[in-house]
Amino acid sequence: MGLILLAFGLVLIVEGLAYALAPLLIERMLETLRSLPEQARRLAGLLSVVSGFILLWGAYQVGF
């Protein structure tokens, strides 16, 4: 449970920093995402999930 809270907290920090430091970049990125086909957005989401699991697994193996 602690690992999940750690990961969630890190995601919130990174997301918050992106919105705080570069809000215009976020808006442009969202416009670009709207122009992509649905399949490309689904694939990007799936790759993000898999990458997240790999990072969590790596952190767990290191001892976090």
Side-chain angles (χ1 to χ4, degrees), residues 26-46:
I26 297 294
E27 287 180 23
R28 280 188 275 156
M29 185 175 62
L30 289 173
E31 289 172 8
T32 303
L33 281 172
R34 279 189 212 110
S35 68
L36 288 175
E38 183 181 344
Q39 280 301 106
R41 289 182 292 202
R42 287 184 189 270
L43 181 60
L46 180 62

Side-chain angles (χ1 to χ4, degrees), residues 9-29:
L10 289 173
V11 167
L12 288 175
I13 289 170
V14 171
E15 289 286 328
L17 281 174
Y19 281 103
L21 298 176
L24 294 177
L25 181 63
I26 297 294
E27 287 180 23
R28 280 188 275 156
M29 185 175 62

